[in-house]
């Protein structure tokens, strides 16, 4: 059975934040950047849940879109054109959440901001799939509604990959590398941009 063929996608709402932040925290627990910013394994899961709650409540649900599946196996968090920057409230709440590592997190964010495209685009802030469900095409399926919208509107999509595995997935979806970042001497981040594709490119 194809696990993606029967995947029921839907737009998430504020009532889903509790489930969504848990999925994203599990998906990003072993992420190199998140592990470097939050090196204390005893508090990392708690801090990740709080971080994603802030991202969801104060950025994505207020100014973008969040796609998930009926079984909450994955989440794609996006910002619409012109809304990719952090609102001040989210910026300060996230800084408080990082605690002693807030300066390290701020340097990562500053590096990402410097390399972020300024022309209109859709931004994938976070794409996470539960560890036991990864490698089944769920992440690609969750990205598809936004990528199709990009193609209809003639706009690019942008993201930052934090692992070589995820970068390879995004390349298959049409994203192209825009160099490599190593903010504050941490793990690499790969900015990637996908130009809009003609409608006929989708099966």
């Amino acid at each position: 059975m194809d696990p993606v063929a029967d995947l029921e996608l839907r737009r998430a709402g504020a009532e889903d934040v509790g489930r969504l932040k848990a999925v994203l925290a599990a998906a990003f627990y072993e992420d190199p950047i998140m592990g470097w910013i939050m090196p204390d394994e005893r508090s990392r899961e708690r801090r990740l849940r709080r971080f994603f709650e802030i991202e969801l409540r104060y950025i994505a649900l207020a100014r973008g879109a969040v796609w998930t599946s009926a079984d909450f196996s994955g989440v794609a968090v996006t910002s619409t054109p012109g809304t990719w920057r952090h609102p001040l409230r989210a910026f300060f709440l996230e800084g408080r959440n990082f605690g002693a590592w807030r300066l390290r997190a701020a340097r990562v964010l500053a590096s990402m901001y410097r390399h972020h495209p300024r022309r209109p685009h859709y931004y994938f802030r976070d794409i996470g799939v539960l560890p036991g469900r990864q490698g089944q095409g769920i992440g690609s399926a969750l990205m598809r509604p936004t990528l199709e919208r990009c193609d209809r509107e003639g706009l690019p999509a942008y993201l930052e990959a934090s692992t070589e595995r995820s970068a390879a997935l995004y390349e298959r979806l049409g994203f192209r590398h825009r160099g490599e970042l190593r903010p504050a001497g941490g793990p690499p981040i790969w900015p990637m941009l996908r130009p809009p594709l003609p409608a006929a490119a989708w099966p």
Side-chain angles (χ1 to χ4, degrees):
M1 179 182 295
D2 183 351
V4 176
D6 297 324
L7 194 68
E8 181 184 342
L9 303 184
R10 67 177 181 86
R11 289 277 296 265
E15 70 278 5
D16 299 312
V17 167
R19 295 285 298 273
L20 298 174
K21 69 179 184 181
V23 172
L24 288 165
F28 280 87
Y29 186 83
E30 299 291 346
D31 179 80
I33 290 294
M34 290 301 190
W36 183 71
I37 293 175
M38 293 172 273
D40 184 359
E41 295 184 357
R42 296 169 300 177
S43 65
R44 187 185 304 159
E45 182 176 1
R46 172 177 57 81
R47 292 181 189 276
L48 280 169
R49 287 181 179 235
R50 178 57 178 156
F51 170 79
F52 287 116
E53 181 177 4
I54 295 165
E55 290 271 302
L56 291 163
R57 288 196 187 279
Y58 299 108
I59 305 177
L61 291 174
R63 309 167 65 182
V66 180
W67 285 92
T68 189
S69 56
D71 62 355
F72 290 94
S73 55
V75 186
V77 181
T78 63
S79 290
T80 52
T83 67
W84 59 271
R85 291 178 177 85
H86 279 64
L88 280 178
R89 184 177 186 185
F91 179 80
F92 286 117
L93 288 173
E94 288 185 1
R96 184 185 305 167
N97 180 58
F98 289 129
W101 304 289
R102 65 171 62 90
L103 181 58
R104 183 177 288 188
R107 288 173 175 169
V108 171
L109 184 63
S111 179
M112 292 165 60
Y113 264 42
R114 284 195 298 272
H115 291 85
H116 204 109
R118 267 38 182 187
R119 68 184 224 181
H121 64 281
Y122 283 84
Y123 177 39
F124 286 96
R125 307 189 70 88
D126 307 293
I127 306 151
V129 176
L130 288 172
R133 301 293 302 279
Q134 293 175 6
Q136 300 176 6
I138 295 171
S140 299
L142 289 166
M143 295 173 70
R144 181 162 179 159
T146 300
L147 294 179
E148 289 180 333
R149 185 171 183 179
C150 287
D151 296 340
R152 289 195 304 271
E153 298 178 9
L155 292 174
Y158 180 74
L159 52 75
E160 295 101 358
S162 57
T163 67
E164 292 184 357
R165 178 182 177 184
S166 62
L169 163 66
Y170 303 141
E171 282 187 291
R172 293 195 295 272
L173 294 174
F175 284 84
R176 301 171 184 171
H177 282 276
R178 289 165 53 95
E180 179 182 292
L181 310 180
R182 283 187 178 268
I189 299 173
W190 294 280
M192 303 181 75
L193 187 74
R194 175 190 180 274
L197 301 177
W202 286 102

